[in-house]
Amino acid sequence: MALFFGPSDRHLARLDGALVVITGGARGIGAATGRLFAQHGARVVLADVDLDVAEATAATIPGARAVRLDVTDRDSWRSALTEIGGDIDVLVNNAGVMPLGHFEEESERTTDLILDVNIRGMLNGMRAAIPGMVARGRGHVVNVASMAGMIPIPGMVTYNASKYGALGASLGARREYDGTGVAVCAILPSAVRTELSSGAQLGGGMPTVDPEDVAAAIVDTLRTRAARTSVPKWVAPGWSLVEAFVPEPIERLARRLVDDRRTLDLDAAARKAYTDRIDRHAADHALDEEAAR
């Protein structure tokens, strides 16, 4: 199996037999990414806290398998790695949660879940996979952050904090492991048509993409090794220009025109399945944290 030949190589080599582990692989971006890697010949492992859903998804992807993984728990990472076996060639840190709404109404256990999954989970993944990659002199890590890691949005205070942190950690790890043969890349999707955005009004000035678009960007980082890639590609450079040259009063007017406060007025019925699942995970996570003390 030839995955890539070193930091200077700019061409995506074949992925035949490469071991690709995708966290949050049961649904959405994770599932789409697993399908695309499998199409390129990779051996795909879908790692997810909801093992039954991950197994059902893996059954639809040739050669894929599923393992249970709570990304917030380092012991769970150790168990998952033992079950996976073999050397990880590509790690996609995709697991994430996105509760939305008024900041002052957010429960402490929801805050803990967002920060622990979106930041600690990604850090745990890098700690688990990178040492082996460094020892072999090659490896690839993709951290799925968000454009919410660059653009502050009402209704996403804690989520913004987590994704700013995810982007910063990705860029920091990229510098720390530069020259080792391990590339760390961050993907910043705009609004994605998945369960995470259910109940929210998409479009209307908010760039919206499908999970398959994000999956394509993730796989393409094996060719580009870009530090930061937004989906669509123009969004991050465009926002950087806004930050550099647009006065805040003009930005405030533009935000009003596109209704950037729409995440404060969600369709609760349309979002209920997701919020119920997040509430369940938050409660389980709080119990696990209490038991660990």
Side-chain angles (χ1 to χ4, degrees):
M1 184 275 296
L3 178 60
F4 35 68
F5 302 104
S8 63
D9 184 65
R10 305 299 293 177
H11 301 286
L12 175 63
R14 72 182 190 277
L15 284 166
D16 294 345
L19 179 57
V20 178
V21 176
I22 304 167
T23 71
R27 306 171 176 85
I29 293 170
T33 302
R35 290 190 184 94
L36 189 55
F37 269 113
Q39 288 169 17
H40 284 281
R43 294 176 293 144
V44 172
V45 177
L46 305 180
D48 202 286
V49 69
D50 290 328
L51 179 58
D52 55 340
V53 183
E55 288 176 333
T57 302
T60 69
I61 301 173
R65 58 193 176 110
V67 298
R68 188 188 183 281
L69 172 65
D70 175 358
V71 296
T72 70
D73 184 346
R74 295 181 73 173
D75 287 336
S76 182
W77 271 102
R78 283 188 279 269
S79 297
L81 291 180
T82 298
E83 183 176 351
I84 290 167
D87 297 324
I88 298 174
D89 295 298
V90 180
L91 171 66
V92 181
N93 277 315
N94 166 71
V97 295
M98 192 175 76
L100 302 172
H102 293 272
F103 177 59
E104 70 273 14
E105 296 174 1
E106 181 178 285
S107 69
E108 184 174 1
R109 71 183 189 184
T110 298
T111 300
D112 289 344
L113 184 71
I114 297 170
L115 297 178
D116 281 353
V117 173
N118 295 1
I119 299 180
R120 186 182 295 276
M122 183 198 68
L123 296 175
N124 285 344
M126 290 197 293
R127 284 194 186 102
I130 287 179
M133 293 177 176
V134 171
R136 296 189 302 278
R138 61 177 174 82
H140 195 78
V141 177
V142 184
N143 293 325
V144 180
S146 169
M147 278 309 303
M150 290 182 67
I151 304 176
I153 303 170
M156 291 187 173
V157 173
T158 306
Y159 185 75
N160 272 136
S162 72
K163 292 304 184 177
Y164 271 76
L167 177 57
S170 298
L171 297 176
R174 181 181 178 86
R175 294 272 64 84
E176 182 161 336
Y177 293 101
D178 189 31
T180 66
V182 179
V184 180
C185 305
I187 294 290
L188 286 71
S190 57
V192 186
R193 297 181 187 92
T194 66
E195 191 182 30
L196 270 71
S197 61
S198 59
Q201 180 188 345
L202 302 179
M206 180 185 297
T208 307
V209 297
D210 292 312
E212 291 74 17
D213 300 318
V214 184
I218 289 170
V219 173
D220 196 47
T221 63
L222 274 81
R223 177 184 62 84
T224 67
R225 299 202 171 191
R228 182 185 70 181
T229 304
S230 61
V231 188
K233 286 186 177 180
W234 60 266
V235 179
W239 179 252
S240 295
L241 290 174
V242 169
E243 286 189 309
F245 298 111
V246 177
E248 188 172 23
I250 302 299
E251 180 191 331
R252 188 177 292 121
L253 175 60
R255 282 175 173 271
R256 244 184 244 123
L257 291 174
V258 301
D259 186 17
D260 78 329
R261 303 181 70 81
R262 70 184 76 175
T263 51
L264 295 170
D265 185 23
L266 301 168
D267 183 338
R271 195 166 174 77
K272 186 175 187 305
Y274 181 68
T275 55
D276 285 351
R277 180 157 62 87
I278 290 302
D279 287 346
R280 185 179 74 251
H281 285 323
D284 291 345
H285 184 63
L287 287 173
D288 290 343
E289 289 294 296
E290 184 63 31
R293 292 193 184 103

